Amino acid sequence: MTTGSASAVARFASDAERAEWNARIAANPGGGEVWAGEQYLDVKRAENGYRDLRVIVERGARPSIAVGVLAKRAPLLGWWWHLPAGPAGADAAEVLETAAAVAALARASGAFLLKIEPRIGREAIPDIHEAGYRDAVRIIPNPSTVLVDVSGTEDEVFARIGKKARNAINRARRDGISVSRVEPTAEYSEQLFGLLQETAEGRFVLRSERYYREFWQRFSQAGVGQMFLAHRDGALVAGAYAMALGAKTTYKDGASVRAKTAYGASHALQWEVMRWANERGALVHDLCGAPPSDRADDREHPLFGVGQFKRSFSPQIVDYAGAFDLPLRPLAYRIWEVAGDRIARRVSLAVRKDPYY
């Protein structure tokens, strides 16, 4: 099936294109996003009941764009399509052109809704609204984030990060905190999940331990993920998991104990992640989540502390435009907007003990 406008046409990827999916995502404008990559789509299909679709948007003489799609069926309404961290594009015009082509394919495939989360700045919001999109609940966890330059030599990377982070890393070394790269075995996955539970404590909802273990193991087995654990005197004090695609790495999960004796552990842990990223040839490391830049110093924001930690590596917060819905079938979308989305999320938490998205 092929649909779209005269300038951009969307079609489902061939078997050959699916076989090299990560490389195609990495070739997108902006270097690609791990959220549209093979392993993320596979995990969401296996663990969250999505269909994972791979779409190619042809743009005439210009390079094609690979678009990862997660589709889920809403009872009585039909399918809705989500483009995690996508579609890719250098600016609003390019994003909207690609999204329009995918929307035509989605509509022809029976979808009633297209949800996008493009990695372009907030200045694009008026153009996105003008194209008929509505503000929506975000799914990908970093609508605002901190990006760290990890290009060059390891010494150059260390010299670029903030003085506070460098001091904390050096303090951790003096205090005997060591960081190891480990395989996400059942034992190590249980340890990292335990840290996540301790950190969550009512602040945010965790998925099941099985979900995290399957996620970490799938990425690691494909060679595009790594688990890190930090110890002091043999005791686990912090842990993290990071993912990679193309020239970018992304911090996925992380937590640490609250004991003051573990000061600097999280900085030391993140520094080891950056060393791993640098060794892979990455140019950018995404710390994955921060308060929006206009609330960076707002102590009431739930991500204030997280933002202060991440900004100690690089001070600038990058704000993306957000998440947006494009209704493809107005009546079905209206039902979804008024009640369907809310009911689906409540039922998923009550029955499956898992967030719907």
Side-chain angles (χ1 to χ4, degrees), residues 127-175:
D127 292 331
I128 296 172
H129 286 163
E130 188 176 347
Y133 290 82
R134 305 181 184 185
D135 294 332
V137 175
R138 59 100 172 163
I139 297 178
I140 299 301
N142 55 343
S144 293
T145 193
V146 173
L147 303 177
V148 182
D149 181 353
V150 292
S151 64
T153 67
E154 182 179 313
D155 288 344
E156 289 171 339
V157 178
F158 191 75
R160 275 198 301 267
I161 64 177
K163 182 178 179 181
K164 182 177 180 180
R166 295 198 306 269
N167 289 342
I169 293 165
N170 290 330
R171 164 77 177 275
R173 289 170 178 163
R174 292 194 302 271
D175 289 349

Side-chain angles (χ1 to χ4, degrees), residues 77 134 330-343:
L77 300 180
R134 305 181 184 185
L331 177 58
Y333 177 75
R334 180 59 179 161
I335 296 171
W336 176 254
E337 182 183 40
V338 171
D341 180 40
R342 184 173 65 254
I343 292 172

Side-chain angles (χ1 to χ4, degrees), residues 71-351:
K72 186 173 278 194
R73 186 171 184 81
L76 304 179
L77 300 180
W79 293 90
W80 58 267
W81 285 23
H82 173 221
L83 278 50
D91 53 29
E94 199 166 80
V95 164
L96 290 171
E97 176 191 44
T98 299
V102 177
L105 182 61
R107 187 181 288 108
S109 301
F112 69 90
L113 161 66
L114 180 74
K115 184 185 292 288
I116 68 171
E117 294 186 84
R119 281 352 200 184
I120 51 177
R122 289 182 174 178
E123 68 279 359
I125 293 176
D127 292 331
I128 296 172
H129 286 163
E130 188 176 347
Y133 290 82
R134 305 181 184 185
D135 294 332
V137 175
R138 59 100 172 163
I139 297 178
I140 299 301
N142 55 343
S144 293
T145 193
V146 173
L147 303 177
V148 182
D149 181 353
V150 292
S151 64
T153 67
E154 182 179 313
D155 288 344
E156 289 171 339
V157 178
F158 191 75
R160 275 198 301 267
I161 64 177
K163 182 178 179 181
K164 182 177 180 180
R166 295 198 306 269
N167 289 342
I169 293 165
N170 290 330
R171 164 77 177 275
R173 289 170 178 163
R174 292 194 302 271
D175 289 349
I177 292 174
S178 62
V179 182
S180 303
R181 303 176 192 181
V182 301
E183 290 300 311
T185 62
E187 178 185 2
Y188 288 143
S189 294
E190 182 180 6
Q191 291 179 15
L192 180 50
F193 184 75
L195 287 175
L196 291 174
Q197 286 181 307
E198 181 179 338
T199 299
E201 281 191 354
R203 292 186 180 91
F204 52 88
V205 176
L206 287 178
R207 298 183 187 274
S208 68
E209 180 182 347
R210 177 180 177 274
Y211 175 89
Y212 286 94
R213 184 176 66 251
E214 292 288 333
F215 192 114
W216 299 330
Q217 290 179 347
R218 190 180 295 269
F219 273 80
S220 290
Q221 288 166 3
V224 293
Q226 181 63 57
M227 181 177 284
F228 304 81
L229 297 178
H231 294 82
R232 181 177 183 180
D233 298 329
L236 179 65
V237 292
Y241 195 88
M243 311 171 292
L245 190 143
K248 180 186 284 187
T249 54
T250 302
Y251 173 45
K252 169 63 170 62
D253 301 300
S256 62
V257 298
R258 298 179 183 177
K260 293 183 179 179
T261 54
Y263 177 83
S266 293
H267 281 92
L269 189 76
Q270 203 58 240
W271 169 239
E272 185 63 21
V273 177
M274 292 177 193
R275 290 185 65 245
W276 170 77
N278 178 261
E279 290 169 14
R280 293 183 62 92
L283 303 179
V284 176
H285 178 55
D286 186 345
L287 287 173
C288 198
S293 58
D294 58 0
R295 296 191 63 188
D297 298 318
D298 180 358
R299 293 181 176 275
E300 299 302 315
H301 194 280
L303 292 180
F304 171 76
V306 169
Q308 293 298 300
F309 166 72
K310 294 177 180 179
R311 291 175 69 206
S312 69
F313 290 97
S314 182
Q316 184 176 359
I317 292 176
V318 176
D319 296 313
Y320 296 122
F324 306 90
D325 285 349
L326 179 67
L328 303 178
R329 288 177 20 219
L331 177 58
Y333 177 75
R334 180 59 179 161
I335 296 171
W336 176 254
E337 182 183 40
V338 171
D341 180 40
R342 184 173 65 254
I343 292 172
R345 284 190 279 160
R346 286 181 177 176
V347 169
S348 184
L349 281 174
V351 176

